[in-house]
């Protein structure tokens, strides 16, 4: 019963490098989300998806791209990493069916951009 | 996340009650949540309350909602060292993608 799995758990990049963060959920959830968590700022929504093949911008989308080719996977891409993108990234998912729609979170990816 | 406000730190002694407060801004919010984040982990749903309720109790946890003042609180009775974590308040304005999180309150429990 894995829930939401994020890979990698840690990564260090140099400015200008690219990378993709992977998120997988095994709960058959329709909605998936990418957040970043910075000290004193809580969680900020980067992008989200309401279903396979669809994505939408959240509060802080600049510098990131996402794809949802399969229902269970949601990928977050950084095309040209910048130091301002140093953060902890969380993926989450939620169900369309449950009325209160709580989100289920992965354990996070700690990303440092030098 | 600036629409949901919480104090950043709270320190209590083991065995005392902890009260974590939160204010939100959208009166149309349908559900209000408390999530717990332990070190190195993601957020886990602790409890939630529907907007037409005033109170919800779940074992050591009591959630109070004052809809008029847009104030939400989480009371943890008999606080234990294992309760040390960051607690996030969140409001849902309909659909998971409309969930707004506060900055989190870091609870320190002193033995």
């Amino acid at each position: 019963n894995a829930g939401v799995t994020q890979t990698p758990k840690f990564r260090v990049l140099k400015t200008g490098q690219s990378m993709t963060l992977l998120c997988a959920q095994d709960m058959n959830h329709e909605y998936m989300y990418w957040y970043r968590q910075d000290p004193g700022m809580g969680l900020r929504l980067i992008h989200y998806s309401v279903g396979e093949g669809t994505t939408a911008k959240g509060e802080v989308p600049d510098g990131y791209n996402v794809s949802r080719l399969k229902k269970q996977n949601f990928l977050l891409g950084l095309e040209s990493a910048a130091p301002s993108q140093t953060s902890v990234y969380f993926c989450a998912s939620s169900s369309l069916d449950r009325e209160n729609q709580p989100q289920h979170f992965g354990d996070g990816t700690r990303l440092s951009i030098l | 996340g600036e629409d949901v406000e919480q104090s950043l730190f709270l320190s209590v002694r083991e065995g005392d009650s902890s009260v974590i407060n939160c204010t939100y801004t959208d009166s149309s919010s349908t559900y209000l949540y408390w999530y717990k984040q332990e070190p190195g982990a993601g957020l886990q749903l602790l409890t939630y309350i529907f907007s037409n309720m005033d109170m919800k109790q779940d074992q050591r946890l009591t959630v109070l909602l004052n809809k008029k003042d847009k104030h939400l609180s989480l009371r943890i009775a008999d606080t234990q060292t294992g309760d040390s974590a960051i607690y996030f308040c969140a409001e849902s304005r309909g659909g998971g993608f409309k969930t707004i999180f506060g900055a989190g309150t870091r609870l320190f429990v002193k033995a």
Side-chain angles (χ1 to χ4, degrees):
Chain A
N1 191 9
V4 178
T5 304
Q6 292 184 233
T7 53
K9 296 189 185 304
F10 304 94
R11 185 72 183 267
V12 178
L13 290 178
K14 294 181 179 178
T15 298
Q17 287 185 315
S18 63
M19 80 161 293
T20 301
L21 280 64
L22 309 179
C23 177
Q25 53 95 3
D26 61 2
M27 297 170 283
N28 202 35
H29 284 170
E30 291 77 15
Y31 296 164
M32 296 187 75
Y33 319 84
W34 275 107
Y35 293 92
R36 59 179 289 173
Q37 183 182 27
D38 300 293
M41 300 188 74
L43 293 175
R44 291 184 291 169
L45 183 64
I46 304 171
H47 286 279
Y48 65 94
S49 169
V50 300
E52 181 179 324
T54 70
T55 62
K57 294 180 179 180
E59 182 186 352
V60 289
D62 293 343
Y64 305 96
N65 56 74
V66 287
S67 65
R68 183 113 181 254
L69 299 180
K70 294 182 179 180
K71 186 178 184 180
Q72 62 267 34
N73 297 334
F74 196 28
L75 279 58
L76 178 71
L78 285 75
E79 289 186 349
S80 179
S84 61
Q85 294 177 305
T86 294
S87 188
V88 181
Y89 291 85
F90 287 99
C91 177
S93 69
S94 66
S95 170
L96 179 63
D97 294 332
R98 288 193 62 185
E99 197 173 276
N100 61 344
Q101 296 180 323
Q103 296 184 28
H104 298 257
F105 285 82
D107 287 339
T109 295
R110 283 144 187 84
L111 186 60
S112 293
I113 316 295
L114 304 178
Chain B
E2 294 300 320
D3 292 345
V4 178
E5 295 189 354
Q6 306 175 236
S7 55
L8 293 182
F9 299 99
L10 176 65
S11 180
V12 300
R13 291 193 181 277
E14 191 175 20
D16 288 350
S17 292
S18 308
V19 179
I20 303 172
N21 294 303
C22 167
T23 57
Y24 61 98
T25 57
D26 194 331
S27 58
S28 67
S29 293
T30 51
Y31 287 95
L32 295 126
Y33 306 89
W34 285 104
Y35 285 85
K36 178 182 181 182
Q37 184 183 31
E38 297 185 358
L43 280 68
Q44 287 190 313
L45 181 69
L46 203 56
T47 187
Y48 67 94
I49 189 167
F50 188 49
S51 58
N52 68 352
M53 297 169 65
D54 298 325
M55 184 181 85
K56 180 178 181 181
Q57 188 147 4
D58 183 2
Q59 299 182 337
R60 292 191 296 122
L61 306 178
T62 303
V63 179
L64 295 177
L65 175 61
N66 182 329
K67 200 170 179 182
K68 175 177 172 290
D69 295 337
K70 300 188 185 68
H71 182 266
L72 183 72
S73 68
L74 174 70
R75 178 177 181 270
I76 305 173
D78 187 26
T79 311
Q80 303 298 307
T81 54
D83 294 324
S84 293
I86 302 176
Y87 291 82
F88 289 88
C89 170
E91 59 170 336
S92 173
R93 301 172 183 179
F97 49 89
K98 297 180 184 176
T99 300
I100 308 298
F101 290 85
T105 299
R106 186 179 293 271
L107 175 64
F108 295 95
V109 182
K110 296 177 285 187

